[in-house]
Amino acid sequence: MNLPQLSFRPDRFRGLRFLIVQDNHSIARLVSDILQAAGARDSFVAQNGKSAIELLASRQPDIIIADWKMPVMDG
């Protein structure tokens, strides 16, 4: 069985801004660290959907990574 190769070159996400919407701090940190290693310009964390909506205008992310089930407002 041939599995697809993954590439996490340091420049893979160069210049991109990410918004991570995750209520679990450890998971949010893990995702943020992986994105940083892949060259992300910035990553911001919101703990629920409501906080994420508030950050959208000021942070202007290129990509949003959101958890599905969270308190206050789901992803």
Side-chain angles (χ1 to χ4, degrees), residues 23-42:
D23 59 325
N24 183 307
H25 176 74
S26 298
I27 299 297
R29 178 62 191 255
L30 175 65
V31 171
S32 180
D33 288 349
I34 290 170
L35 291 171
Q36 182 180 10
R41 183 172 104 188
D42 291 310

Side-chain angles (χ1 to χ4, degrees), residues 3-14 34-35 37-39:
L3 296 175
Q5 274 192 306
L6 295 177
S7 173
F8 281 103
R9 297 173 305 186
D11 63 344
R12 184 75 175 193
F13 299 122
R14 183 172 308 244
I34 290 170
L35 291 171

Side-chain angles (χ1 to χ4, degrees), residues 35-52:
L35 291 171
Q36 182 180 10
R41 183 172 104 188
D42 291 310
S43 62
F44 310 99
V45 176
Q47 292 187 343
N48 58 60
K50 184 178 178 185
S51 297

